[in-house]
Amino acid sequence: GAGVSQSPRYKVAKRGQDVALRCDPISGHVSLFWYQQALGQGPEFLTYFQNEAQLDKSGLPSDRFFAERPEGSVSTLKIQRTQQEDSAVYLCASSLGVAGGRTGELFFGEGSRLTVL
Amino acid sequence: GNSVTQMEGPVTLSEEAFLTINCTYTATGYPSLFWYVQYPGEGLQLLLKATKADDKGSNKGFEATYRKETTSFHLEKGSVQVSDSAVYFCALSDWANFGNEKLTFGTGTRLTIIP
């Protein structure tokens, strides 16, 4: 597609449920990022992939958060045993990475809004 | 670590007013600086950027200058329009230290322009 696509756009989960959020990056983009945005705050970095390799997961808040990108394209962010503090908008972004000259321009999806009851 | 501090909002202005949104940063290296904008119902998108000291980024009438001496990257526009109503985020990336383009964002400033 033309842009970064995320699904579902909205997800309501009961506390303790597992959720999976999907990201389809722009075709050919090497770098993929996940961010968490709490209400009224700026996005906070979660994790980074270069192709299928997860090179930086320093922002994942706990071992309940897991991300994968097995074929270097689509990525899934999984949250196990959701807690109320996990309620946020989860943003995915992609870029050309080194091939794009390290411009620093990330292309963002519209996000998946997770509400944990 | 790296951080970005930006002017708290919300900011409400009349059409054709002058806009300034302040942004300062803390970084251990020599970051690139960005302003991203989020229009209602849309994803974040790059507005402008500057990659080294004294560079000026500009787009859609907005400007920001990378000031290393004051560690600032203030966003300005001479005459705002209703269509500029959005949330504006200042951000930095520090490829040299992190090995990737991950962005550190400020908290965002909601701008509303009244006709």
Side-chain angles (χ1 to χ4, degrees):
Chain A
V4 177
S5 178
Q6 294 187 243
S7 62
R9 291 290 313 279
Y10 303 91
K11 175 69 178 178
V12 178
K14 292 183 179 178
R15 190 162 51 116
Q17 283 184 332
D18 297 348
V19 300
L21 307 176
R22 176 188 169 105
C23 173
D24 275 277
I26 293 173
S27 178
H29 276 195
V30 168
S31 298
L32 186 144
F33 300 82
W34 283 98
Y35 286 82
Q36 180 190 57
Q37 185 176 17
L39 188 64
Q41 300 298 312
E44 295 280 346
F45 170 78
L46 292 177
T47 188
Y48 159 70
F49 290 87
Q50 183 181 86
N51 294 308
E52 69 280 2
Q54 188 176 19
L55 299 184
D56 186 344
K57 50 183 181 180
S58 62
L60 295 176
S62 77
D63 59 7
R64 296 186 296 103
F65 287 71
F66 172 77
E68 60 183 5
R69 194 186 185 197
E71 298 179 357
S73 179
V74 171
S75 177
T76 303
L77 176 67
K78 298 179 179 178
I79 309 173
Q80 297 177 324
R81 304 182 304 282
T82 53
Q83 304 295 315
Q84 284 190 322
E85 61 263 28
D86 300 335
S87 296
V89 176
Y90 291 86
L91 300 173
C92 177
S94 69
S95 79
L96 287 166
V98 174
R102 302 180 179 178
T103 64
E105 179 173 6
L106 302 189
F107 295 83
F108 283 83
E110 293 182 28
S112 292
R113 181 180 297 276
L114 172 64
T115 302
V116 182
L117 303 177
Chain B
N2 294 346
S3 66
V4 175
T5 302
Q6 67 179 98
M7 176 177 172
E8 290 191 17
V11 174
T12 303
L13 294 172
S14 297
E15 203 165 23
E16 299 184 2
F18 184 84
L19 168 71
T20 300
I21 301 177
N22 290 337
C23 171
T24 57
Y25 68 90
T26 301
T28 53
Y30 299 93
S32 295
L33 301 175
F34 307 84
W35 278 98
Y36 276 77
V37 60
Q38 188 169 32
Y39 297 105
E42 300 183 15
L44 280 164
Q45 56 188 271
L46 179 66
L47 179 60
L48 54 84
K49 68 178 183 181
T51 57
K52 61 183 187 297
D54 300 324
D55 269 2
K56 177 185 283 188
S58 61
N59 186 25
K60 299 182 180 181
F62 290 89
E63 293 183 339
T65 301
Y66 189 164
R67 301 287 188 198
K68 189 170 184 296
E69 63 276 14
T70 55
T71 63
S72 65
F73 194 56
H74 305 321
L75 183 68
E76 297 182 336
K77 186 174 185 181
S79 176
V80 292
Q81 305 300 312
V82 172
S83 57
D84 295 327
S85 297
V87 182
Y88 293 80
F89 293 91
C90 186
L92 67 82
S93 72
D94 188 358
W95 185 296
N97 277 324
F98 294 118
N100 64 66
E101 295 160 299
K102 73 178 178 183
L103 294 167
T104 300
F105 285 92
T107 55
T109 301
R110 181 176 298 277
L111 174 66
T112 302
I113 307 301
I114 299 172

